[in-house]
Amino acid sequence: MSSRHHIDDFMRGRIIGKIEEGRKITDVAREFDIAHSVVLRLWKSFKTTGMCSRWYGRGRVRSTTPAEDRYIVLSAKGNRRTTAQQVANQFLAASGKQISRKTVARRLRGGLYARRPVVCVPLTRRCLLRCFNFTLMFFFGSLCR
C-alpha cells in the first residue's frame, strides 16, 4: 500500500474505466496499489452521482452572504451605540434570517465591536444636576485656593 494521498481525476477515471470493463474491484485496487475500500467508495460515488471528480471547497456553509455582511456593517455604523445583539435582531427583522451575536462580531471584524456591549442609559434630571454641581464646586473650588 502506498502512502496516504488524494487520487487525481485522471487516475479516478482510469479506475472507473477498468471497473466498467468488468474487472473486479479487488483486482483494480491491487493493480493501482490502492486500498480496496477506497476503490469501492469511488465506485459507489460514481454510481450515485455519475461523476468521479473530487468536490473542492466543501467546508462549513456561511450563514450570511457578502451583501448581508455589508448590511450588518452599515446598520452597525448607523448607530454606534447598538450592541451586537441588537444588530442581530435588526438583521432578523429585515431579512428573516437569524444570526448569532458572535456572527455579528465576526462580520464587524473587531473594529466596530470594540465598544461596550451595554446600551447607554440616559441620566435623570437629578443626576445631571448633581454632576453639574460637582463640576462647579470642583472648578470654582480650585480657583479660590
Side-chain angles (χ1 to χ4, degrees):
M1 293 287 152
S2 63
S3 64
R4 182 181 171 99
H5 65 281
H6 292 293
I7 306 167
D8 61 336
D9 288 340
F10 180 71
M11 179 90 74
R12 287 171 176 262
R14 286 180 57 203
I15 292 169
I16 295 298
K18 300 263 185 192
I19 295 172
E20 283 181 333
E21 287 175 1
R23 297 183 57 187
K24 292 182 181 177
I25 291 177
T26 52
D27 296 338
V28 175
R30 198 174 298 122
E31 181 182 336
F32 286 99
D33 194 26
I34 297 173
H36 174 269
S37 61
V38 174
V39 176
L40 183 64
R41 197 178 321 121
L42 175 64
W43 177 242
K44 280 184 178 177
S45 71
F46 176 74
K47 283 195 303 188
T48 56
T49 62
M51 302 183 322
C52 63
S53 61
R54 288 188 72 221
W55 286 8
Y56 296 102
R58 300 287 298 172
R60 185 178 174 93
V61 179
R62 283 177 57 99
S63 61
T64 57
T65 63
E68 291 169 341
D69 293 346
R70 286 192 297 274
Y71 175 80
I72 291 169
V73 170
L74 287 175
S75 63
K77 278 184 179 177
N79 186 3
R80 289 193 181 259
R81 290 192 176 197
T82 56
T83 63
Q85 186 62 53
Q86 289 172 334
V87 173
N89 291 340
Q90 288 173 2
F91 182 78
L92 175 64
S95 69
K97 189 187 294 185
Q98 183 142 14
I99 57 172
S100 68
R101 176 185 61 81
K102 287 301 287 181
T103 301
V104 172
R106 281 188 214 103
R107 297 308 183 259
L108 298 179
R109 294 187 186 91
L112 295 174
Y113 191 61
R115 54 189 184 260
R116 290 188 57 179
V118 293
V119 180
C120 182
V121 179
L123 297 175
T124 62
R125 194 173 193 147
R126 194 166 90 191
C127 230
L128 283 172
L129 285 174
R130 281 185 189 162
C131 289
F132 182 69
N133 287 336
F134 175 77
T135 307
L136 286 177
M137 287 286 287
F138 182 78
F139 182 69
F140 288 118
S142 63
L143 286 178
C144 293
R145 289 182 194 177

